[in-house]
Amino acid sequence: MEAEPVSRPSRKGVLLSFDTYNWLIHLRYTRKETQQCKVLIGNQLSASRGMAYFPNMMQGIILRQEGKMQESLDFFQACQLYNPGHLENLKQIAKSWLLAGRHEAALETYVDIECALQKPDWEIYHNIGVCLYYMKQYAKAKEYLRRAIEVSSQGESYQVLKNILLLENDLDGALELFSAAEKSNADSAGPRLTLSLGLLLAKARHRNDALQRLMMETKNGAALLAAGCIMQERNDVNAALARYKLASHLMPESAALWNNVGMCFLKKQKFVAAVCCLKRANYLAPFDHKILYNLGLIHLVMQQLASAFHFLSAWVNQSPYRGQAYMLLAVVMWNLGSVEAAKVLFEQAARIDQKDPLVALNLAIFVHNTTKDTDLISSQLRDFQERMQNLQQTTGEFVDDEVIEILL
């Protein structure tokens, strides 16, 4: 290992600059030779008694990358003493505050920098928007993020602005934002924006447009998972499984992925494979109510009633305000011969869920097979038809006939 140069004391009458080895510090840093860079910086700081500007700044940057925020701030603040008002150093101080989660201090520093700017700076506007976003001042955050996008169409600004719009339940605004970004060919952010637009279109249930964009991505787990979901909703199980297979190499610890794979196998009536995938999903996300529901459903299909009761009871504990949970649990209790318990659970499901057609249908069938109350049966069947019509009007979908057959 070659020895790092050390600044020597100046001879009488000769002024020795402490900036002599700045180029070498920069070279070591850009080559990611961190240890050699730190040794060289230490030598320069010792020789200058800590008064060299560039070594102090580089030491602060390296410490920040190592996660030592407070130590990095000490070095940046030392630079501020030697060179007050230097904007580049103020940017580093503000960035350290931001990464340390001290958003108010970061915002104050960024605002000071903004006042001293001679021309618009994307980084400053973007980071002010990020600080305001974390401080939940969404109106001001959107203003600064839009200013940042006007200066430079960077993907980071679009992503933060999208998050704000979604928090405000403005899905149409987010779609409009990313559609405009896609048309403008945003700098260095095309693929990411296309992916985000595809995911937003999928969320808005514009499946054809979403799938067109998501199919372009073969090395992004989220895109593959979203494309597989759309294919699975269209009952194209084999195509969905092909996408999920690719996604499993990129995100093997995704509970949503294994849940969807399990439901594909259920559709293909490969019950053992379905249970294995769903239990893996349950291991990865033990409190996810959708996975508990699917496990209860598949065990009900297989007539493993004790296991179905176990998972559905866990679902009721996790989501006590979901009528479907009580309805399926009622079906299990009915199959176990506990009519009174099934009646209580069906009535609870009917009180909680006023939208799901299957709740009304199952209650009508239960009453038909037990008490024979014709008035209640007629009212529940009318309620079922109304709920089906409302479901078609709001989502354009019907309840799958196969699901009805399974539950009944």
Side-chain angles (χ1 to χ4, degrees), residues 8-16:
R8 302 181 182 279
S10 60
R11 296 189 300 274
K12 185 177 180 179
V14 178
L15 181 64
L16 184 62

Side-chain angles (χ1 to χ4, degrees), residues 122 148-159 177-194:
W122 169 84
I149 290 170
E150 289 176 2
V151 175
S152 178
S153 298
Q154 298 292 331
E156 291 87 346
S157 299
Y158 283 105
Q159 296 295 338
L177 172 72
F178 276 83
S179 297
E182 187 182 45
K183 292 177 182 178
S184 65
N185 296 318
D187 300 338
S188 70
R192 289 185 60 190
L193 290 178
T194 301

